[in-house]
Amino acid sequence: MTDTTNLAYFWGEDAYAIERAVRVMAAGERIEARPTPPPAQAESPTAFEVWRVDAEQDVGAAGGGRAERLLDRLAERLGTAPLFGGGTLVVLRQPLPLLREKRVRERLLDLVADVPRGNALAITELVDGGRQVKSTDALRDAVSKAGGVVRAYPAMTRERLERWVGERATELGLTLGPGAARLLAERVGGFVRESDVDHRRQAEMANGELEKLALLRPDGTATRDDVAESVPEAIPGSAWAFLDAVGLRHAGEAARVATRLLDDGLPAPVIISQLHRRLRELVVVRDHMIAGTRPADLVRELKLQPFRAQKLSEQAATWAPDELDAALEGLLALDLASKGISLDGEPRSMSDARTALGLQAWLAGSVARAP
């Protein structure tokens, strides 16, 4: 099913697909029901003059007068017909700040209900984790009621991303050798499954790398080695992946993810606090296992979800009780050191680099299995 419209709401976790949908709309083409518009539409010349505004940047938490002034600008653009050429496509990004106050919200809904002929309005909402924001339900409903298109663009699964990389390469006139599409998808973080990872820009990054490869290989063929040499790793860190690697005593993987987490700006004290919580859970689960409690009974005993009980049981089984005790003692020393305190309470020098090094040393000494 397709729709031609001057009103649309595009939302989801795939920034690249949302932007392509906007470009299709700007070209005056039909909006397809499938997640990614075809290249012929995406590359069409624009039929509209495009004017963009971001409510989070222009209004933020201020609201009040700023929101009113932004709505004035929106109404002016939507209500004015250009002297030459096509109309204006107004692209309103991240509309949530315009929905917090009743008067501003009602005025925005009125604008949505009466977009003048010849002009168009596209509202885009990039969400984290693919979760629909309840506060914008009324706006989505208003777009639908006015005859507009509402499309969701979820983040691609790793299988879909790998396939899409190959499809997009073909669009760019690029042939990828065996394994190249998979490696590129891995390099942009597409194979990280944990739910705390931000997937919003992965397709966008993959597209940028494909465009670079197309320039690097004007003959139209890029190999897996080309990807390995030219595409930097942008794999996001996942706190869940880190804690699971520690729980399973995969020290090497834990060390790599810890580096990513620190590079992404997660403070070391937060990592240490999360580690302490996980080790305490493993101590409790290990004690229950020694007492003969089955993993299935942990659901009732510790009030855990079945999947989590199974996962903690598998991790606890890789530790001996004295190893968990030693790991907790080492973590306490690391926590104190990150705050500039020694075990005897005396002050000691501290720095982010020293704490990061101490974390790696703890992983090597307390998490890695003895040979």
Side-chain angles (χ1 to χ4, degrees):
M1 176 181 179
T2 59
D3 299 273
T4 302
T5 183
N6 68 337
L7 176 63
Y9 198 116
F10 305 128
W11 71 278
E13 201 180 358
D14 189 341
Y16 181 77
I18 290 173
E19 177 57 24
R20 289 193 77 172
V22 169
R23 289 163 58 192
V24 169
M25 191 172 176
E29 302 286 349
R30 294 176 297 182
I31 304 299
E32 298 288 344
R34 59 187 177 182
T36 305
Q41 291 180 335
E43 304 303 331
S44 300
T46 58
F48 289 98
E49 174 187 332
V50 181
W51 183 75
R52 301 172 185 267
V53 66
D54 190 312
E56 282 190 351
Q57 293 181 5
D58 285 20
V59 178
R66 285 190 181 181
E68 292 281 2
R69 287 191 292 273
L70 178 55
L71 283 177
D72 289 340
R73 292 160 60 200
L74 287 172
E76 181 182 356
R77 291 281 182 166
L78 286 173
T80 304
L83 292 177
F84 305 100
T88 298
L89 169 62
V90 174
V91 181
L92 171 62
R93 294 170 172 162
Q94 305 303 105
L96 183 59
L98 299 179
L99 300 171
R100 295 186 180 120
E101 299 177 25
K102 182 179 179 181
R103 183 176 62 179
V104 175
R105 180 172 63 252
E106 290 178 347
R107 188 178 171 194
L108 175 60
L109 296 179
D110 288 341
L111 285 174
V112 166
D114 190 24
V115 177
R117 282 184 172 276
N119 290 334
L121 172 63
I123 302 171
T124 67
E125 182 187 9
L126 185 60
V127 299
D128 187 7
R131 292 180 292 274
Q132 183 170 319
V133 180
K134 290 294 184 183
S135 303
T136 53
D137 281 352
L139 185 53
R140 265 186 290 270
D141 291 343
V143 170
S144 182
K145 185 177 180 180
V149 173
V150 177
R151 291 283 183 271
Y153 296 96
M156 286 184 272
T157 63
R158 63 182 186 177
E159 294 81 8
R160 175 70 185 103
L161 179 61
E162 181 182 347
R163 186 165 63 252
W164 177 85
V165 166
E167 293 169 355
R168 180 58 181 152
T170 300
E171 294 173 12
L172 294 169
L174 182 68
T175 300
L176 295 177
R182 182 184 181 90
L183 180 59
L184 196 151
E186 290 175 351
R187 286 289 176 101
V188 299
F191 278 52
V192 179
R193 291 184 178 274
E194 282 71 23
S195 60
D196 61 334
V197 168
D198 190 345
H199 295 277
R200 289 176 292 181
R201 302 289 178 184
Q202 286 178 346
E204 202 171 58
M205 287 190 293
N207 179 67
E209 297 300 338
L210 285 169
E211 290 178 343
K212 288 194 297 184
L213 284 169
L215 293 174
L216 177 68
R217 293 290 181 242
D219 62 349
T221 302
T223 66
R224 192 179 191 281
D225 288 340
D226 291 329
V227 173
E229 291 175 4
S230 63
V231 179
E233 276 198 357
I235 300 173
S238 165
W240 286 112
F242 171 66
L243 295 174
D244 286 343
V246 169
L248 291 170
R249 308 193 70 177
H250 297 163
E253 177 62 18
R256 286 188 289 273
V257 180
T259 299
R260 292 183 198 129
L261 290 171
L262 292 170
D263 289 345
D264 289 344
L266 186 64
V270 173
I271 295 177
I272 294 170
S273 175
Q274 292 173 339
L275 278 171
H276 180 253
R277 189 178 304 117
R278 175 59 61 90
L279 288 178
R280 281 192 308 164
E281 290 175 331
L282 294 178
V283 168
V284 172
V285 170
R286 185 65 175 156
D287 286 346
H288 275 77
M289 292 173 65
I290 292 173
T293 305
R294 298 176 304 169
D297 296 331
L298 292 174
V299 174
R300 183 185 67 257
E301 294 283 345
L302 301 179
K303 295 181 173 59
L304 295 173
Q305 293 293 331
F307 173 76
R308 184 158 177 74
Q310 182 64 35
K311 205 166 189 178
L312 289 174
S313 297
E314 292 171 357
Q315 294 176 14
T318 67
W319 296 81
D322 59 333
E323 291 175 325
L324 284 170
D325 291 342
L328 278 170
E329 290 179 7
L331 194 63
L332 172 61
L334 178 59
D335 181 46
L336 291 173
S338 72
K339 299 169 182 175
I341 307 171
S342 62
L343 281 173
D344 59 7
E346 294 295 319
R348 57 174 294 178
S349 60
M350 58 172 286
S351 68
D352 291 343
R354 187 186 295 269
T355 301
L357 182 60
L359 176 60
Q360 296 290 347
W362 179 83
L363 291 170
S366 298
V367 176
R369 294 174 181 267

